[in-house]
Amino acid sequence: MLRFIARRILMAVPTLLIMAVSVFALIRFIPGDPAALMLGDMADPASLADLRERLGLNESLPVQFAIWFGNIFQGDLGLSITSSQPVLPLIIDRFWISAKIVLIAVLFATLVAVPAGMIAAWRQNSLTDLILVGTATILLSIPTFWLGLLLLILFGLKLEWLPIVGYVSFSEDPTAALLYIIMPIATLFLHEMGVLIRMSRASTLEVLRLDYITHARAKGLSEGAVLMHHAFKNAFGPTWTLIGLVLGNLLGGIAVVETVFTIPGLGRLLVDSIFARDYPVIQGCLLFIAFVYVVVNIVVDLLYPVFDPRVTAE
């Protein structure tokens, strides 16, 4: 087991290195002088020279990357240009806000979508299957920002059941905090439920065609027992992989939902930093999102043998 874990972690190292190089190059390839873009056209030469010195822009690109990469291992992602705060603590504070929304949404989507997908596969080509697949396709086809706006108009403006936009932390007021995150969670829940229903249905259909399922039915087992005790584990493996990808994608792409509902999470921080041309924060956010994505997929890999008995941790 330890060799399995070590191999998975070592396989992630080149990926993280490539991501670090890509993030660094992406920022450096933006046209124009970064210092002039951050300070504006009216900045005086002394301010420009001071900012270039602080950011290390006077050095060659290999030296800049070596300094930046060395600082990463010390937990130093630089200082925000707009707020003068250390970038890493700023990112972590915003990350926990996004993580709560994403994890709750994916948890509920999994609890609803996996059984729904299995039922659709069990009742293949029936009215139930048609309704579930049609619903999943519609949910999958609606962009998250549009779905969020629809929920905002219906439950915020028309029915006035929920606050429209904003955020309250759980430490301040747990009840108000829950009300403010219901619609963002519902938006992600509905969208990702469509993805997971289709995946769960497809993997269950594949498993139900196998010989051991036919043998289980021939022994007189009920359909419920066949589904839960024989089909579920093998069918859930591919869906578990997709859940890991969904988690990583949502943490990287939640900026749209956070912008719609003005949630001060990691995605909103990245968007605000892009508009403010706060390069240290942009670099830090992109690198942190890539790191979380890799870690999530490592965890999915390590837990895969638990959910799929055909896979062993060797």
Side-chain angles (χ1 to χ4, degrees):
M1 184 64 181
L2 291 177
R3 290 178 59 188
F4 177 76
I5 295 174
R7 187 165 63 247
R8 289 296 184 271
I9 293 175
L10 288 175
M11 287 171 60
V13 172
T15 303
L16 291 172
L17 180 60
I18 292 171
M19 287 305 305
V21 174
S22 301
V23 168
F24 179 84
L26 180 67
I27 298 299
R28 294 307 186 276
F29 287 160
I30 295 176
D33 181 1
L37 290 171
M38 283 184 273
L39 295 181
D41 297 332
M42 304 302 293
D44 59 273
S47 300
L48 290 172
D50 179 63
L51 183 58
R52 291 193 190 99
E53 184 66 29
R54 285 166 50 198
L55 297 178
L57 298 176
N58 294 328
E59 305 290 345
S60 64
L61 288 179
V63 173
Q64 290 182 43
F65 178 77
I67 294 173
W68 179 67
F69 198 68
N71 291 336
I72 289 174
F73 283 98
Q74 302 175 30
D76 180 13
L77 296 179
L79 295 176
S80 168
I81 301 299
T82 55
S83 65
S84 299
Q85 293 180 300
V87 171
L88 185 59
L90 181 63
I91 289 175
I92 292 175
D93 288 343
R94 299 293 191 94
F95 167 73
W96 290 122
I97 297 173
S98 300
K100 284 184 288 189
I101 295 173
V102 169
L103 289 174
I104 294 173
V106 173
L107 174 62
F108 280 108
T110 302
L111 293 176
V112 174
V114 172
M118 294 184 69
I119 292 171
W122 175 50
R123 301 296 302 274
Q124 185 183 14
N125 299 326
S126 67
L127 180 61
T128 301
D129 182 28
L130 181 63
I131 291 173
L132 287 172
V133 172
T135 302
T137 304
I138 292 172
L139 292 175
L140 183 59
S141 303
I142 301 176
T144 51
F145 76 89
W146 181 246
L147 184 58
L149 288 173
L150 291 177
L151 294 178
L152 191 151
I153 292 171
L154 177 60
F155 294 104
L157 293 178
K158 299 294 185 182
L159 300 176
E160 298 182 354
W161 290 355
L162 297 169
I164 298 175
V165 292
Y167 178 78
V168 176
S169 68
F170 280 88
S171 59
E172 296 176 13
D173 188 340
T175 303
L178 183 60
L179 291 175
Y180 274 103
I181 65 173
I182 285 177
M183 283 196 287
I185 289 174
T187 301
L188 297 177
F189 160 74
L190 290 172
H191 187 269
E192 300 310 323
M193 189 174 68
V195 179
L196 295 177
I197 285 177
R198 291 178 65 88
M199 185 63 190
S200 177
R201 178 183 181 274
S203 57
T204 303
L205 280 175
E206 182 181 352
V207 170
L208 289 178
R209 297 189 181 104
L210 298 178
D211 291 341
Y212 82 95
I213 297 294
T214 304
H215 179 68
R217 284 170 171 162
K219 290 193 301 183
L221 294 178
S222 66
E223 285 298 314
V226 170
L227 284 173
M228 292 307 300
H229 299 297
H230 293 274
F232 173 72
K233 273 198 171 183
N234 287 336
F236 187 66
T239 307
W240 172 245
T241 301
L242 183 62
I243 290 171
L245 295 174
V246 164
L247 276 172
N249 288 333
L250 285 182
L251 286 171
I254 196 177
V256 173
V257 173
E258 290 180 347
T259 301
V260 170
F261 295 103
T262 64
I263 302 294
L266 182 60
R268 183 65 185 273
L269 175 64
L270 178 59
V271 172
D272 291 343
S273 300
I274 291 172
F275 282 114
R277 299 186 179 94
D278 196 338
Y279 284 17
V281 177
I282 296 172
Q283 287 184 145
C285 286
L286 293 176
L287 189 64
F288 188 83
I289 290 170
F291 174 77
V292 170
Y293 191 93
V294 170
V295 169
V296 167
N297 282 277
I298 289 176
V299 173
V300 168
D301 253 1
L302 297 180
L303 292 179
Y304 207 101
V306 176
F307 295 109
D308 192 339
R310 296 169 295 181
V311 179
T312 57
E314 296 178 355

